[in-house]
């Protein structure tokens, strides 16, 4: 099976450090070989923060009076207004996980439900905030998906699909939430819908170790040889991330201006 790793694309994929022409050229280099024989179906596993997360609130308390305690299902990540002061504390309170030392498990705090929309589609990885698709920093995989749809005849939700997940958890916990069972079924369905054509598994950033856990621990070699033609890692986080050091030392706003001196 063909395996290719494309390095240095983490910020490029986010659209921050390269021109559209360079972006297209680099991604094209990574994927043209994988799809050279014919339109190989593509299954995308995004990175951390790389898909929408929906929430429902029924809390008894909140950090500030302006933070909602009751709300029906809404896009928790990414909501542009919630990542700027003074709403950042509201987002942090809603999106955090609680650790239970007696069981070694994590869960949402009481009064908060979450779900991952768009499994098997691409919309929730193309635009992280569906209400502001025109903002560059809320666009993620849109350019790549649109390229394969408009230039190579791929069909969203059929021959190019996504497997979003709750990126707050570690890959070892995804199985308990049914994610890997769903990923396996999605790959098998895309294979069948494509005329029994093995798929290209495309993973970005933390999606690489997330998918590697699935490939090495949960499916056997015969399954991989039948269903997967190519594995493409776009800036896979194989040895961890230096961003983690930045996050713990000074915080990381993912390039979004949230300086309280500006907004306050």
């Amino acid at each position: 099976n063909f395996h290719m790793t494309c390095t240095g694309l983490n910020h490029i994929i986010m659209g921050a450090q390269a021109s559209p022409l360079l972006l297209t050229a680099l991604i094209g280099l990574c994927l043209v070989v994988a799809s050279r024989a014919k339109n190989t179906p593509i299954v995308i596993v995004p990175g951390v923060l790389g898909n929408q997360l929906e929430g429902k609130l029924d809390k008894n308390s909140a950090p500030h009076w302006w933070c909602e305690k009751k709300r029906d299902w809404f896009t928790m990540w990414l909501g542009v207004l919630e990542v700027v002061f003074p709403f950042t504390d509201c987002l942090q309170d809603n999106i955090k996980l609680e650790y239970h030392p007696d069981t070694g498990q994590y869960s949402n705090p009481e009064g908060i439900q979450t779900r991952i929309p768009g499994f098997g589609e691409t919309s929730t990885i193309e635009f992280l905030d569906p209400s502001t698709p025109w903002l560059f920093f809320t666009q993620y995989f849109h350019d790549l998906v649109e390229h394969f749809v408009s230039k190579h005849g791929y069909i969203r939700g059929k021959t190019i699909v996504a497997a979003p997940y709750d990126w707050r958890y570690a890959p070892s916990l995804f199985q308990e939430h049914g994610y890997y069972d769903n990923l396996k079924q999605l790959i098998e369905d895309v294979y069948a819908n494509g005329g029994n054509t093995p798929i290209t598994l495309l993973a970005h950033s933390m999606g690489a170790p997330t998918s590697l856990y699935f490939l090495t621990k949960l499916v056997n070699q015969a399954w991989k040889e039948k269903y997967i033609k190519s594995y493409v890692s776009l800036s896979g986080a194989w040895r961890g991330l230096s961003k983690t050091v930045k996050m713990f030392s000074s915080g990381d706003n993912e390039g979004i201006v949230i300086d309280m001196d500006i907004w306050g």
Side-chain angles (χ1 to χ4, degrees), residues 36-232:
R36 65 189 182 278
K38 60 178 179 177
N39 283 3
T40 305
I42 298 174
V43 177
I44 303 171
V45 181
V48 170
L49 307 179
N51 57 259
Q52 295 173 22
L53 175 69
E54 293 183 341
K56 183 178 181 180
L57 308 180
D58 187 18
K59 304 190 296 183
N60 294 322
S61 62
H64 307 289
W65 64 264
W66 58 81
C67 298
E68 294 178 299
K69 293 185 289 186
K70 313 288 183 181
R71 187 174 180 181
D72 204 357
W73 289 105
F74 69 103
T75 302
M76 182 182 294
W77 180 267
L78 171 68
V80 170
L81 290 180
E82 297 189 22
V83 297
V84 297
F85 181 79
F87 300 106
T88 50
D89 286 347
C90 309
L91 173 62
Q92 292 170 9
D93 192 60
N94 292 336
I95 209 169
K96 68 183 180 182
L97 293 174
E98 290 185 345
Y99 177 66
H100 306 282
D102 53 332
T103 63
Q105 300 296 309
Y106 294 84
S107 69
N108 290 317
E110 184 177 357
I112 301 176
Q113 299 179 56
T114 54
R115 65 187 183 189
I116 305 299
F119 192 88
E121 304 171 7
T122 59
S123 60
T124 59
I125 69 166
E126 290 189 61
F127 301 102
L128 300 183
D129 184 348
S131 67
T132 58
W134 40 271
L135 284 178
F136 77 92
F137 59 80
T138 71
Q139 298 178 14
Y140 183 30
F141 264 100
H142 173 68
D143 288 348
L144 185 146
V145 172
E146 181 60 28
H147 172 80
F148 280 95
V149 170
S150 62
K151 302 296 184 181
H152 300 284
Y154 281 74
I155 301 173
R156 286 180 171 90
K158 185 175 180 181
T159 53
I160 184 166
V161 302
Y165 54 95
D166 194 333
W167 28 260
R168 300 175 300 165
Y169 293 91
S172 59
L173 297 177
F174 291 160
Q175 182 64 4
E176 297 180 18
H177 301 162
Y179 173 73
Y180 284 129
D181 289 335
N182 293 335
L183 175 60
K184 184 173 183 285
Q185 188 62 56
L186 177 64
I187 291 173
E188 293 176 358
D189 290 345
V190 172
Y191 168 91
N193 293 337
N196 295 338
T197 303
I199 66 101
T200 291
L201 186 59
L202 168 62
H204 174 233
S205 190
M206 194 56 70
T210 296
S211 56
L212 181 68
Y213 185 93
F214 167 74
L215 293 173
T216 56
K217 296 183 179 295
L218 300 175
V219 293
N220 58 35
Q221 187 63 29
W223 187 93
K224 288 182 280 190
E225 291 178 356
K226 178 178 180 180
Y227 291 105
I228 298 180
K229 175 183 176 63
S230 310
Y231 180 80
V232 180

